[in-house]
Amino acid sequence: IGTEADLEQKMASLRTSRDPDGSFRTESLFCNGGSWRETVRRLMTDSHGVVMDLRSFNRQNRGCVFELQTLVDFVSVSRIMLIVDSRPGPAQTDVTFQQEIMTEAWAHLAVTSPNHSIADPVLRLVDAAAGDAKAVGFIIQELEAL
């Protein structure tokens, strides 16, 4: 994806229905350096719900900061779930840092954000420490409830 037209074409071609076996197809979008941010924003806003994996998110591994700001700017918090891991180890999420980033994102919230009128936002955190299968089951249940 290099241009707005490329993005529009790809978005129109994405499958939104289940495959015959009941699963959803995994699709890859390859973007150049100038188009990935708009592509991420479109995927977020066009999706039923957004699940973001923040396992290993910490001060040294902060690659998701743009995506977190974009989430609160364009997606209602009721449609967002963040996966964290409270287990000590390399995948542990620095929840304090994550909260700092979210507080900063909220302080710079776009005036057009669907979250602009929410006084006390609550983000759903899914702790994967209980195991991936349990976390996935919970996520599916929550997405179906949206």
Side-chain angles (χ1 to χ4, degrees):
I1 299 173
T3 66
E4 182 69 26
D6 294 340
L7 177 57
E8 291 303 322
Q9 181 181 4
K10 184 61 179 178
M11 294 300 292
S13 73
L14 292 176
R15 292 191 46 164
T16 57
S17 60
R18 292 177 185 252
D19 284 341
D21 67 357
S23 65
F24 286 98
R25 186 161 302 203
T26 300
E27 304 224 25
S28 298
L29 285 76
F30 299 98
C31 304
N32 68 22
S35 66
W36 74 269
R37 290 175 191 253
E38 179 61 18
T39 301
V40 166
R41 187 195 64 76
R42 278 291 300 278
L43 288 168
M44 288 177 180
T45 57
D46 290 2
S47 296
H48 181 72
V50 178
V51 180
M52 186 171 180
D53 187 352
L54 292 180
R55 293 174 292 178
S56 310
F57 184 66
N58 57 48
R59 293 178 196 281
Q60 292 74 39
N61 183 13
R62 50 184 294 129
C64 300
V65 173
F66 166 79
E67 290 88 343
L68 288 167
Q69 179 70 56
T70 302
L71 271 175
V72 297
D73 281 345
F74 291 98
V75 180
S76 170
V77 293
S78 65
R79 296 177 32 226
I80 300 170
M81 283 181 278
L82 303 176
I83 302 173
V84 298
D85 191 337
S86 63
R87 291 176 289 203
Q92 184 177 25
T93 305
D94 183 340
V95 177
T96 301
F97 178 61
Q98 180 261 323
Q99 289 171 342
E100 289 172 14
I101 294 298
M102 295 311 296
T103 299
E104 180 74 13
W106 206 264
H108 296 96
L109 194 65
V111 294
T112 57
S113 171
N115 300 308
H116 201 272
S117 62
I118 300 173
D120 295 314
V122 177
L123 282 168
R124 286 180 289 183
L125 301 181
V126 179
D127 192 349
D132 289 340
K134 188 173 182 180
V136 168
F138 177 78
I139 291 166
I140 290 170
Q141 178 183 347
E142 291 293 301
L143 287 172
E144 287 175 344
L146 289 179

